[in-house]
Amino acid sequence: MAKIANKQVICDVLLEAAKKDKDIVALCSDSRGSASFTPFANELPGQFVETGIAEQNLVSISAGLAKCGKKPYAVSPACFLSTRSYEQCKVDAAYSNTNVKLIGISGGVSYGALGMSHHSAQDIAAMAAVPNMRVYLPSDRLQTECLMKELIQDDKTAYIRVGRNAVDDVYEEGNVPFEMDKATFVTEGTDVAIIACGEMVKPAVDAAAALKEQGISATVVDMYCVKPLDKEAIVKAAKGAKAVITVEEHAPYGGLGSMVSQVVGSECPRKVVNLALPDAPVITGTSKEVFNYYGLNAEGIAKAAAEALK
Amino acid sequence: MENLKALAYELRENVIDMIVEGKAGHIGGDMSVMEILTEIYFDQMNISPENMDDPDRDKFIMSKGHSVEAYYAVLAKKGFFDIKDVIAEFSKFGSQFIGHPNNKLPGIEMNSGSLGHGLPVSVGMALAGKMDEKDYRVYTVMGDGELAEGTVWEGAMAASHYKLDNLCAVVDRNRLQISGNTEDVMAHDDLHERFRSFGWNVIDVADGNDIDQLKAALDSAKETKGKPTVLIANTVKGKGSSVMENKANWHHKVPNAEELEQIRKDLAAGKEAALHG
Ligand SMILES: Cc1ncc(C[n+]2csc(CCOP(=O)(O)OP(=O)(O)O)c2C)c(N)n1
Ligand SMILES: [Mg+2]
């Protein structure tokens, strides 16, 4: 069946919910088309706010709406939403405890050849460092749907990052293991633990399959809840393995790898290898070309895992 | 002097080649901004590959960085790099010609792409000129949708506070942004009043795709003392072909074969008219 992008799922879930709950408001910053939010804007114009190209304004307006009882979803490219509006996310959303949901679309290197101004490789580090801010990177459309249905129920701030294009399913339709703020063990093994988030989960699962053929048994943990980090899952996965590999579409500092390393280092020390984007503007190319170049694909992950066990 | 009107059409053809070859590009804004860039680079500014290290040369910041294809065409024509290389490599794997201005390339001062940075950065460059008592001028070009960014107005405030008459901003007023008409997305039809109230000299350019009108406005900006000047250049997004003109969905688009044929015909006719019309 035709796959849809995770951002599209977010619009679909919100649109359905917003039809029944008039307090749900979506806000865009000249980003409705790229966010797949045009249907929302057209069907519920009274619950849609356009701020123009003004991401800081977008987040502060959302916080004001939340303070007065609305349930705002600020939807904008992850690069601008996380770092252009960082102060607003920190002070008006998280610090003031307002129910603002920040939806970062086209995250990571989704924008490919548009370059570093359009990449969000710092958003996990930035957002996770803010008290009260939750950070989620769902792996596929099915998990995105489960996550959004949970987030709609609560009244706390959160940052959700998704990519631009449709990605292969990690889970099976109608059979998605999901518990809020608990990582998902996609496979369980005994030699190596691969902990990934967002769109790196699928290549991690493929790497595990490749490793199996080499006689290496791998656990794959889908850490969609980067914050609150599921520490128990990390300890469980690490204790059952000789080495831990982390994989993320993010800079090498302050992201999932750093956070997992902290937990493993203090709770159950063993070798941890962090796979991430470089500490540099990435090579020009589509996101797929970028991933292949830096080994953020099934082959690269499998190779790193096999080497870590040597 | 070269026929700048015809040159603008030739550069548009370069842009089309880049976008077709690279399968990406912000085509609409490239077309609307072309005469603005052409007049600034080939008539107003004292800048060339040879004088880049000269502290007295003029400076330019492409604030609406997504129109990088137009900027590449202009810089190539200026001799900063070879247009053949840009067309062959634009947006491709490993290329240095990425989809926004990058200052690893010769001729480009600053990285841009995130809207709303160009004016404040230009304020800094103009301020440095005042501090060092230099005569250089600083130019920046912004989109009209871009003006919703608060940083634009923070920069505008500082520019008049420091009486930066060596600074000239141009607004590519094409009335469109990604989501449609600027007045529907975030209205600012009183743009002239806004800049005036921020202490700027405001010049309306009735046809911002007319080289003569742009020249007159930029010449007059040079004579204005004690305050920065902004040109509100009323342009047509997608200028040069009816296929693209005034169509919001041509903000970022790669023409198909049929559209391409028509665009090439229209641009050739535009060039012909500029040469002999
Ligand atoms: C800070 C920031 N937010 C969003 C974008 C995405 N974006 C690229 S172009 C564009 C629309 C620009 O419209 P306008 O300024 O009118 O430019 P033009 O019509 O000349 O293309 C947007 C929203 C961006 N590049 N930077
Ligand atoms: Mg515009």
Side-chain angles (χ1 to χ4, degrees), chain A residues 29-34 50-57 80 84 113-118 164 281 283-286 289-290 293, chain B residues 26 91-100 104 112-117 145-146 148-151 177-180 184-186:
Chain A
S29 51
D30 200 13
S31 49
R32 75 182 75 168
S34 36
E50 172 63 67
T51 67
I53 309 171
E55 296 80 8
Q56 302 174 68
N57 206 19
F80 309 126
R84 183 61 164 269
L114 292 185
M116 184 166 146
S117 64
H118 280 58
R164 185 185 202 188
I283 193 160
T284 307
T286 63
E289 287 169 337
V290 171
Y293 186 76
Chain B
H26 290 87
S91 260
K92 290 190 181 154
F93 182 65
S95 174
Q96 45 177 350
F97 298 106
I98 68 170
H100 285 106
K104 280 197 216 127
S112 55
S114 180
L115 296 165
H117 289 233
E146 178 179 1
E149 289 286 3
T151 46
Q177 56 191 105
I178 299 179
S179 309
D184 298 331
V185 175
M186 187 50 63

Side-chain angles (χ1 to χ4, degrees), chain A residues 55 80, chain B residues 64 66 113 115 143-146 149 174 176 237 251:
Chain A
E55 296 80 8
F80 309 126
Chain B
K64 47 168 262 177
H66 57 281
L115 296 165
D144 48 359
E146 178 179 1
E149 289 286 3
N174 58 30
L176 287 175
K237 199 155 177 172
H251 174 75

Side-chain angles (χ1 to χ4, degrees), chain B residues 83-154:
Chain B
I83 190 66
K84 285 197 229 74
D85 293 338
V86 188
I87 293 168
E89 294 165 26
F90 173 63
S91 260
K92 290 190 181 154
F93 182 65
S95 174
Q96 45 177 350
F97 298 106
I98 68 170
H100 285 106
N102 188 282
N103 65 4
K104 280 197 216 127
L105 286 169
I108 298 181
E109 306 279 357
M110 288 289 284
N111 295 341
S112 55
S114 180
L115 296 165
H117 289 233
L119 184 58
V121 169
S122 301
V123 167
M125 296 170 89
L127 198 52
K130 291 285 180 196
M131 288 170 171
D132 293 345
E133 295 176 4
K134 299 271 179 211
D135 288 331
Y136 67 74
R137 291 182 64 73
V138 182
Y139 294 88
T140 188
V141 177
M142 295 179 282
D144 48 359
E146 178 179 1
L147 301 181
E149 289 286 3
T151 46
V152 170
W153 301 98
E154 295 174 28

Side-chain angles (χ1 to χ4, degrees), chain B residues 55-74:
Chain B
D56 294 315
R57 69 161 170 84
D58 294 331
K59 304 182 184 357
F60 177 85
I61 301 290
M62 188 67 174
S63 192
K64 47 168 262 177
H66 57 281
S67 298
V68 71
E69 300 85 15
Y71 193 26
Y72 284 154
V74 166

